[in-house]
Amino acid sequence: MMNIRILGIESSCDETAAAIVADGREILSSVVASQIDIHRKYGGVVPELASREHLRRIVPVVREALEIAKMNLQDVDAIGVTQGPGLVGSLLVGITYGKTLADSLGKPLVPVNHLEGHIHAVFLEAHKAGISLVLPAVCLIVSGGHTVLYEVKPKEAARTDAGALWSYRRIGQTRDDAAGEAYDKVSKLLGFGYPGGPILDRLAAAAGNSLAPVKFGPTKMKGNSHDFSFSGLKTAVLYHLRENRDYQPEIEAREAALARGERKFDQLLPLCSSKTLGLIREFQNAVVRELVERSLSSAEELGVPTVLISGGVAANRQLRATFEERAKRSGLDVYFPSLALSTDNAAMIAAAAYPRLQNNILADGSLNASASLPIA
Ligand code: KG4
Ligand code: ZN
């Protein structure tokens, strides 16, 4: 049978991305244009700037994805586009472009949920490694916008192929900040700028035996014990900094370094006291502990053998190592996408579009952006 080649388009937040994926599994190209340099000076994503930048980048990004896959637009069998959740203005750029392409080429348009895309990213990765993942699984999606746990099953128990639809049940979610948001806010408090995850990840690893100047215990959750909460942790860091004014000079020194464009790890590390490094490591320990313990305990409770982790924070090295080590002890299998497939990309959107195309779940010209599209 001929391959079904889907063009995926992603523009829900601050990356403009396009990719070609064959039969829901084989990545022929994946192009991501990040806007981090634009949003950095504002300390976070500015929605108006994001949509303007998507508008500027979408055409060249799609063209590049086609070139890398050695294809013309006419060779595309369908177009998968992120419908939500995300920033409405940003989503609309991808949706409008997707609609126009589908209409002019006479090809089907497939609406995709961004979170479902993140789950498919793990399957794309497993396929690359020649591993076939077994459902049901517990899936943790952990990014700057989301921290949520799902149980994922095939809709029809007998179907395990790439064209099978899945069903989702939400087991838990954050009640306040997403984990990536906590990284970004703590990073800002400490003078490391935006985004916070990658730099704090590296600094925590460089902390060595620096003593933790404060201890953050496990977060107690009333009600659903699979829910998360990260705003208390961020507030605890804030209070700790307020009570200990001696952090102030180094925070200002780092802010001055950032203003000069010096934001690399090697440039910032010398501006960190051992106390700061100990604090960062303690913060990361707390985030990782919450994510790992709640995910694994829900898998154990449900009797599900597989745990999938996806989203920007899944790039965190300590999170990966701790998941792997803890899962081994519990006899669970854990899977992550590669770093490139962890953060927002369009290959995961094209992959998620494939089973929907196979099952004729298509959109027409009335497709609209949905800021808080539910996954099921
Ligand atoms: O999935 P993503 O690219 O975009 C969203 O949908 O949010 O995730 C971005 C988030 C940011 O909050 C960033 O600080 C965080 O992921 N992040 C990390 C790491 N790399 C990115 N957090 C912790 N450790 C990392 N290595
Ligand atoms: Zn995302």
Side-chain angles (χ1 to χ4, degrees), residues 6-289:
I6 299 182
L7 165 66
I9 297 176
E10 155 65 33
S11 67
S12 67
C13 190
D14 61 341
E15 358 266 349
T16 318
I20 310 278
V21 174
D23 297 332
R25 287 289 180 268
E26 205 74 51
I27 302 174
L28 304 183
S29 64
S30 179
V31 178
V32 179
S34 166
Q35 305 179 0
I36 282 183
D37 287 332
I38 289 166
H39 301 289
R40 196 184 325 262
K41 43 183 175 297
Y42 305 97
V45 177
V46 184
E48 289 78 4
L49 295 183
S51 29
R52 200 167 74 193
E53 194 60 15
H54 284 304
L55 213 46
R56 220 168 63 76
R57 304 302 288 274
I58 189 102
V59 174
V61 163
V62 167
R63 192 173 299 148
E64 194 182 338
L66 288 165
E67 261 166 36
I68 294 170
K70 300 196 172 58
M71 284 167 59
N72 295 314
L73 267 177
Q74 288 71 22
D75 304 329
V76 167
D77 294 297
I79 294 144
V81 66
T82 306
Q83 184 188 359
L87 303 168
V88 169
S90 292
L91 288 164
L92 275 174
V93 175
I95 290 174
T96 308
Y97 189 52
K99 269 190 212 175
T100 311
L101 281 180
D103 198 42
S104 62
L105 297 168
K107 300 286 162 91
L109 180 66
V110 188
V112 175
N113 184 302
H114 180 81
L115 297 176
E116 192 167 14
H118 274 302
I119 301 177
H120 276 267
V122 191
F123 283 76
L124 281 171
E125 190 68 38
H127 176 80
K128 277 205 276 180
I131 299 167
S132 55
L133 297 182
V134 186
L135 292 176
V138 162
C139 184
L140 171 68
I141 300 173
V142 60
S143 70
H146 307 278
T147 301
V148 55
L149 270 172
Y150 291 103
E151 184 185 21
V152 187
K153 287 181 186 169
K155 261 206 170 123
E156 300 162 65
R159 281 198 71 177
T160 54
D161 57 290
L165 286 173
W166 299 336
S167 67
Y168 307 91
R169 190 170 65 84
R170 197 170 64 208
I171 311 166
Q173 66 181 325
T174 183
R175 296 191 187 162
D176 37 60
D177 293 350
E181 197 177 352
Y183 267 96
D184 295 336
K185 286 179 174 169
V186 165
S187 176
K188 197 171 179 185
L189 289 174
L190 288 169
F192 293 106
Y194 172 85
I199 182 81
L200 295 188
D201 184 359
R202 294 192 68 186
L203 291 168
N209 337 317
S210 306
L211 291 177
V214 56
K215 285 277 176 196
F216 302 126
T219 308
K220 292 187 191 67
M221 298 305 291
K222 288 200 183 118
N224 185 357
S225 66
H226 305 309
D227 276 349
F228 302 90
S229 169
F230 293 103
S231 75
L233 183 57
K234 167 208 69 195
T235 309
V237 173
L238 174 68
Y239 286 163
H240 175 73
L241 296 178
R242 279 201 191 145
E243 283 155 16
N244 296 272
R245 302 307 293 179
D246 51 324
Y247 284 107
Q248 215 46 42
E250 53 173 312
I251 293 175
E252 280 161 24
R254 292 189 293 262
E255 284 170 347
L258 291 186
R260 292 192 300 271
E262 295 163 15
R263 67 179 108 81
K264 293 213 174 76
F265 170 75
D266 298 332
Q267 293 167 317
L268 292 171
L269 180 62
L271 303 177
C272 296
S273 65
S274 142
K275 194 170 160 184
T276 291
L277 294 176
L279 174 64
I280 293 170
R281 191 192 48 211
E282 182 63 17
F283 163 76
Q284 175 153 291
N285 283 344
V287 175
V288 167
R289 181 179 59 222

Side-chain angles (χ1 to χ4, degrees), residues 248 306 308 350:
Q248 215 46 42
T306 310
L308 317 174

